[in-house]
Amino acid sequence: VELVVEIGETVSLNSSPGWKCVSRVGLGLDLTRRNKQKSLKDKGLPWTLAKNFEGATVLGPMVSISDLNERLQPPYSDLEFALTVNGEEKQRGSLGQMMFPVDTLINFLASYQTLYEGDLIFTGTPSGVGAIHCGDCFVMKWTNGLDAEYSGSL
């Protein structure tokens, strides 16, 4: 599970807006076909087919920045989220534990390309990456600060 931010306005190349351009946040799963990835890696091929397939991304409900600001203040380091699979917690993390803060990621991307309203940025996952199989039930949820969760199954 990882934080997903939605860009709310055009961000010009080489600008550094950080959180100011974010309109909404949510939680998402960025799935990978690990067997396919290994096979492609072993052959020295790009991993594209391991990351691009129907259902490769799951996106939960998005929450407006104004709703988030009622509970926490930027850079939202205390914002926590978790993933359970079949009732067992597999991941838990907070923005404060991220390798790169969200504003750093946004500014880095904007140094290479224009960002547009509606663009989604998946920001990275906490420890605990593991397999999810067809038929598994999962819940992505905020564990403090926000009252939103998403339940689904593969």
Side-chain angles (χ1 to χ4, degrees), residues 11 14-19 21 102-112 115:
V11 176
N14 292 321
S15 62
S16 298
W19 276 101
C21 68
V102 171
D103 54 350
T104 299
L105 294 172
I106 292 169
N107 295 343
F108 175 78
L109 290 171
S111 73
Y112 287 94
L115 303 176

Side-chain angles (χ1 to χ4, degrees), residues 6 9 13 17 23 38 53 56-57 59 64 81-82 86 93-94 99 106 132 134-135 141:
E6 181 179 335
E9 60 190 48
L13 184 65
S23 60
K38 181 180 181 338
F53 55 92
T57 302
L59 184 63
S64 74
F81 49 92
N86 299 325
S94 72
M99 185 176 293
I106 292 169
I132 296 180
C134 258
K141 65 181 177 180

Side-chain angles (χ1 to χ4, degrees), residues 36-86:
K36 182 64 133 176
Q37 182 183 38
K38 181 180 181 338
S39 170
L40 293 166
K41 280 173 67 173
D42 290 348
K43 295 175 185 173
L45 296 171
W47 308 351
T48 304
L49 297 177
K51 297 297 290 178
N52 294 291
F53 55 92
E54 190 169 332
T57 302
V58 178
L59 184 63
M62 301 295 280
V63 177
S64 74
I65 281 295
S66 59
D67 286 348
L68 180 57
N69 285 337
E70 290 177 10
R71 294 164 179 84
L72 298 167
Q73 294 302 309
Y76 314 111
S77 299
D78 294 332
L79 187 58
E80 295 177 351
F81 49 92
L83 171 69
T84 59
V85 178
N86 299 325

